[in-house]
Structure formats: C-alpha cells, structure tokens
Amino acid sequence: MTASLVLPGFVNAHSHTFQRALRGRVGGGDFWAWREQMLAEAERQTPALVREDYTRAYREMRAAGYTAVGEFHYLGVDEAWAAAEAASEAGVELVLLHVAYARGGLPRMRQPSVAAYLAQVESLRGEGVPVGLAPHSVRACPADWLEEIGAYATAEQLPLHVHADEQPREIEECLAEHGCRPIELLARTGCLGPHTTVVHATHADGAELDLLAESGATICACPTTEADLADGFLPAARIEHRRISLCIGSDSNVRIDPFEELRELEGIARRQTGRRGVFGTERLLCFGSDEGARSLGLERWPDLGIDLEHRSLAGVAPADVFDALVAGCGADVVVS
Ligand SMILES: [Zn+2]
C-alpha cells in the first residue's frame, strides 16, 4: 500500500459546471465576447445533457480533490435536479446556489418575479436539496429583488452568494443606475453579512473591501478563471490586510485544480507586495477547505488522500510536505 496523508477535502465554492464544455474552445476577444459564447452553450443545455456532462465534470473535481461543490445554477429547475443527481453519482457534496435573474441573460435564466424565484428555492428545499440564495449580480437583479432575497437569506439562515466587481463595466453601470458601487448596493439592500459570499471582488475599492470586512462576508476567488477571462488581479494583499476570509472556486472550469487556485492566490499577493508567504500555507489550505465549507453552510464533507510517494513530492522532507503541496504540486497528487 502506498503511503498517504488524509486532509479535509477541498471545497469548490463556485462552479458553473456547464462552462466546462468551453475549455480550450473560446479564444480571443474580451470577457463580453466570451460571454456570448457562454450564453450559446447555456442555451443548448437540457436535463439529460446536464446529468451526463456534470457527472463527468464532478468526477474530474472529485479526482482533483474537490469533495464538495457550490453549483451556481441558472439553467432552470429541472436542470437543478439533474445537477444534484450528477453530484450524488460522482460522490461530491453539492449545495445548489439557485440563481435569481430578473433581467438580461437568456429567457431560461429569468424568473417573472422575486416571489416566483423564492417559490423555486422553496420547492428545491422542500425536496431536500441543500440550497443557497444566489442573486446573480447587481447587473441581473434590481434593488427590490436584492432586498427581498437578502431578507429571506437572513431569516432562513441560508448562504447568499453573488457575483460582484468582476469587470469594470459592471461597476460603471451600477454607479449610473444606483449612484454607488456593487458591494455598496449589496450592503444597502441587506445582502451583506457573515452568511454572504461575494464572488470575484476583483475591482473592489477600499470602501467596498471595508464593507466586506465589517460585515464578516467572504470573498470567493477564482484565479484560474479570472486569468482566463482577463478579469484582472484579486486585490489579495488588501484583502489580507483587512483579514477578510477567502475561499476558492473553479468557476468556468477552464482548470480544475485546487492546488493551482491556492498557488495563484499566494502568487498574486507576492507580486503585489514584494514579499513571500503573504497568506502562508496553513491559511491557504484553510481557504481551500474550511472557509469554502463555511461559505456553503456545509458542516460535513468528505476528506481526501494525498499520495506521499507521488513524483512531485520526491525528495521533500516530511516537515515540508504541506508547503510543497501548495508550492509545487498539482491535482494529480490526490489519491484517486
Ligand atoms: Zn461565476
């Protein structure tokens, strides 16, 4: 038997699993050009396709060490069921972050009212699917929707996940419509609290980061996707300075490798500060597992095994294994 090390499983706190199909297929243009191709992929999804493709992608996640996933889902209720079945088949814990979409996107993503959206959430909960609230963004949800969803999440003590500050254009549009920036709007509408996870926060300014710190909210960073989509750099050093909690997500699934996400977080912070060990290995591993679980409201999720005889760990002293995992290993060190 090979020597192995057991660790808490990694938690993928933000995935749009259907976007796995775009890997390697879409080059050139900017985020908005990519989004057009992403919407075309979303349009062709069916429950059967979700069931098949998500099972395969969740198996890829499981093999890479992600044992739980937050599926940020906007393809419809039947497809939500299919995603839950796929996760179960692949042996991954799933929290269905059911998306509220009032405007823009595709007709299949939208609900006619916030009451209709909350009824969908209730129906999924009623059937035992672990759910979280997910107003897509301040782009897709007007302020009155955010207020109702924020109040529901607080009353029901459910996680609330929302995209914010991924691209400069979203901030400009929010300033034009509301006279404030996206995270400020989330605060005004009752959507910020310890149960909140803001996905990306790439272009958050100091005042927005202060709001996240004061409210106890978490940021979900998705560095490999943020690089792929030319989003920008996470303000990692400013986040760490405020001790805002972080978790990770594979988002578009252009890569599925928690070690790489964590290494990118630390790498961005090093480039920004000119220092090494900004987060440190212990905290990075915590971002990858415990903080992700807390963000999804999960109390239990499976562990994973590390193959200590893997070639990536050859010559590494036992005392340095954890540091070496983050500094120099990929998902293939996970015992399958
Ligand atoms: Zn996303």
Side-chain angles (χ1 to χ4, degrees):
M1 230 180 88
T2 51
S4 66
L5 170 74
V6 175
L7 292 179
F10 289 111
V11 176
N12 184 358
H14 188 75
S15 173
H16 307 276
T17 300
F18 76 92
Q19 293 174 14
R20 168 67 177 79
L22 296 171
R23 183 184 292 177
R25 228 173 68 191
V26 180
D30 61 6
F31 172 88
W32 304 101
W34 169 84
R35 184 170 176 272
E36 289 306 312
Q37 309 221 36
M38 180 275 283
L39 290 174
E41 187 61 35
E43 184 64 63
R44 63 183 281 273
Q45 297 296 311
T46 60
L49 190 58
V50 165
R51 183 77 161 75
E52 185 181 338
D53 284 2
Y54 283 36
T55 301
R56 194 169 53 227
Y58 289 150
R59 285 198 173 120
E60 184 181 354
M61 289 179 199
R62 189 70 177 80
Y66 285 124
T67 65
V69 61
E71 182 64 45
F72 200 96
H73 179 82
Y74 46 63
L75 300 174
V77 173
D78 291 343
E79 287 77 4
W81 283 111
E85 286 170 6
S88 166
E89 187 167 333
V92 173
E93 288 293 317
L94 174 129
V95 176
L96 202 285
L97 301 164
H98 191 59
V99 171
Y101 221 109
R103 56 190 185 184
L106 301 172
R108 70 181 297 163
M109 298 173 171
R110 298 195 290 261
Q111 296 89 9
S113 66
V114 67
Y117 164 69
L118 291 174
Q120 291 178 351
V121 170
E122 292 273 344
S123 77
L124 290 162
R125 281 180 88 191
E127 297 293 333
V129 179
V131 296
L133 282 298
H136 179 276
S137 55
V138 302
R139 204 159 34 80
C141 289
D144 58 335
W145 279 48
L146 293 172
E147 282 167 4
E148 286 229 25
I149 294 166
Y152 182 92
T154 302
E156 300 292 321
Q157 298 192 300
L158 287 170
L160 186 155
H161 284 225
V162 55
H163 294 113
D165 290 347
E166 180 175 10
Q167 284 278 331
R169 188 170 115 188
E170 168 206 332
I171 299 172
E172 290 156 19
E173 288 172 359
C174 187
L175 281 165
E177 182 178 1
H178 302 284
C180 65
R181 296 170 66 92
I183 292 171
E184 291 169 334
L185 183 63
L186 294 174
R188 277 189 203 173
T189 52
C191 283
L192 276 196
H195 62 298
T196 303
T197 298
V198 168
V199 182
H200 302 304
T202 313
H203 299 282
D205 71 5
E208 289 180 292
L209 293 175
D210 287 344
L211 285 171
L212 293 175
E214 287 159 19
S215 64
T218 298
I219 293 171
C220 182
C222 311
T224 63
T225 291
E226 289 154 8
D228 186 60
L229 297 183
D231 286 342
F233 284 100
L234 185 80
R238 291 153 65 214
I239 287 167
E240 177 59 1
H241 176 69
R242 291 168 174 83
R243 300 297 271 193
I244 298 167
S245 75
L246 276 166
C247 60
I248 57 168
S250 68
D251 194 0
S252 71
N253 297 296
V254 64
R255 282 286 285 139
I256 295 180
D257 185 333
F259 300 92
E260 189 167 330
E261 303 295 346
L262 297 175
R263 187 157 52 246
E264 276 295 304
L265 279 186
E266 175 67 27
I268 291 166
R270 289 183 188 192
R271 293 182 185 106
Q272 288 168 338
T273 60
R275 285 190 296 114
R276 304 180 71 230
V278 177
F279 293 112
T281 296
E282 197 177 325
R283 296 195 63 233
L284 288 167
L285 290 172
C286 182
F287 296 160
S289 56
D290 298 36
E291 290 299 327
R294 199 178 56 76
S295 154
L296 293 176
L298 275 178
E299 284 172 17
R300 270 181 295 281
W301 67 104
D303 289 337
L304 63 84
I306 300 290
D307 174 9
L308 291 173
E309 292 170 19
H310 191 277
R311 62 186 177 280
S312 297
L313 291 169
V316 171
D320 298 332
V321 164
F322 288 102
D323 292 324
L325 283 175
V326 174
C329 291
D332 55 344
V333 296
V334 173
V335 177
S336 55

